[in-house]
């Protein structure tokens, strides 16, 4: 089990969901690029062993429903990435309260950039619908795989960022079907949904968005050129 260091020195990036597929790739790529990283995770033992022992990785146990724990994880960082993997709870939403706390903590501690992973089925206030066929497809697919509550939560989080977080450089990625495997090249921001993408390539796109501020205050679909 990794040591929970809880380092209070400044870290470049905090990753919520670091034991997930995208999150673990973000951690790995950031460390390869020489960044110091804080992994905010619910189950530290799920971190890959080679990552958990890295000298520039600070591991902290965080329940994202605990506002104080989220705040402590963000303190001392400059960039925030979040990809939270669960199916959503219509009776007790998690993502909007979490995003609200992230934004408040970023303001309080001086972090500027936030990259949040949603899905290619999510909409934004500026682009409420991608057509009737896609709307119907979202309802069918969401019902079949049981993630409609999650997508509804993502929609609410995106709406909050658009309407209430104009002072921060946030980016919401909206990938299509995700799969693991070797890189297929660089992803680009798109105005319409793209095809399937690799987790690793999405992680690289997300990390560069956090580092450079590219796509600030936007919610691009992502796909291969």
């Amino acid at each position: 089990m990794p040591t929970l260091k809880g380092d209070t020195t400044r870290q470049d990036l905090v990753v919520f969901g670091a034991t997930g597929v995208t999150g673990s790739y973000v951690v790995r790529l950031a460390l390869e690029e020489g960044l110091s990283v804080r992994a905010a995770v619910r189950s530290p033992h799920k971190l890959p062993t080679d990552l958990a022992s890295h000298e520039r990785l600070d591991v902290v146990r965080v329940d994202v429903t605990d506002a104080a724990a989220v705040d402590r994880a963000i303190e001392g960082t400059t960039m925030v990435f979040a990809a939270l993997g669960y199916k959503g709870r219509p009776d007790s939403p998690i993502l909007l309260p979490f995003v609200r706390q992230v934004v408040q903590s970023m303001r309080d501690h001086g972090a500027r950039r936030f990259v949040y992973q949603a899905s290619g089925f999510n909409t934004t206030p500026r682009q409420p619908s991608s057509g009737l066929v896609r709307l119907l497809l979202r309802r069918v697919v969401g019902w079949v795989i049981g993630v409609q509550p999650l997508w509804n939560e993502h929609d609410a989080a995106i709406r909050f960022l658009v309407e209430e977080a104009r002072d921060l450089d946030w980016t919401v990625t909206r990938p299509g079907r995700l799969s693991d495997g070797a890189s297929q090249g660089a992803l680009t921001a798109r105005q319409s949904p793209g095809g399937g993408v690799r987790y690793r390539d999405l992680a690289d796109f997300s990390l560069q968005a956090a580092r450079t501020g590219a796509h600030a205050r936007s919610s691009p679909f992502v796909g291969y050129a």
Side-chain angles (χ1 to χ4, degrees):
M1 180 174 177
T3 300
L4 304 183
K5 291 174 277 188
D7 191 357
T8 57
T9 60
R10 194 155 192 87
Q11 305 290 320
D12 295 307
L13 171 71
V14 58
V15 177
F16 291 94
T19 57
V21 185
T22 310
S24 62
Y25 272 120
V26 169
V27 171
R28 189 177 300 279
L29 291 171
L31 292 172
E32 289 175 359
E33 293 187 16
L35 301 179
S36 56
V37 181
R38 179 172 295 150
V41 297
R42 183 175 58 183
S43 304
H45 67 277
K46 293 183 179 179
L47 276 170
T49 304
D50 63 319
L51 290 183
S53 60
H54 198 287
E55 63 180 5
R56 280 186 280 102
L57 182 68
D58 175 36
V59 183
V60 293
R61 182 182 284 111
V62 173
D63 181 337
V64 297
T65 65
D66 182 340
V70 171
D71 183 75
R72 288 192 298 271
I74 292 173
E75 183 177 7
T77 67
T78 57
M79 299 173 286
V80 180
F81 172 81
L84 303 181
Y86 88 118
K87 290 191 175 182
R89 302 190 305 196
D91 58 332
S92 182
I94 287 176
L95 297 182
L96 179 56
F98 166 72
V99 170
R100 286 182 182 275
Q101 182 58 54
V102 167
V103 167
Q104 185 59 55
S105 295
M106 290 177 68
R107 289 171 175 154
D108 290 344
H109 299 302
R112 287 292 307 167
R113 293 175 181 159
F114 176 35
V115 178
Y116 176 86
Q117 181 179 318
S119 85
F121 278 105
N122 283 111
T123 59
T124 76
R126 298 166 184 164
Q127 189 183 34
S129 175
S130 298
L132 179 60
V133 172
R134 189 163 183 81
L135 179 61
L136 292 174
L137 183 61
R138 166 175 161 148
R139 290 180 178 176
V140 171
V141 173
W143 179 78
V144 169
I145 64 177
V147 294
Q148 188 64 54
L150 172 63
W151 289 343
N152 291 341
E153 288 196 51
H154 281 321
D155 286 346
I158 295 169
R159 187 178 307 110
F160 169 76
L161 290 171
V162 169
E163 296 176 353
E164 305 293 339
R166 298 183 182 93
D167 56 317
L168 299 177
D169 292 342
W170 53 265
T171 302
V172 177
T173 60
R174 293 190 286 167
R177 182 179 57 83
L178 288 160
S179 61
D180 209 356
S183 171
Q184 293 187 335
L187 294 177
T188 60
R190 302 167 57 100
Q191 294 299 313
S192 58
V197 302
R198 298 293 199 194
Y199 284 105
R200 187 196 185 286
D201 297 333
L202 177 60
D204 184 59
F205 181 95
S206 301
L207 180 59
Q208 299 317 312
R211 296 197 70 176
T212 67
H215 318 296
R217 291 177 293 283
S218 67
S219 307
F221 294 107
V222 293
Y224 297 103

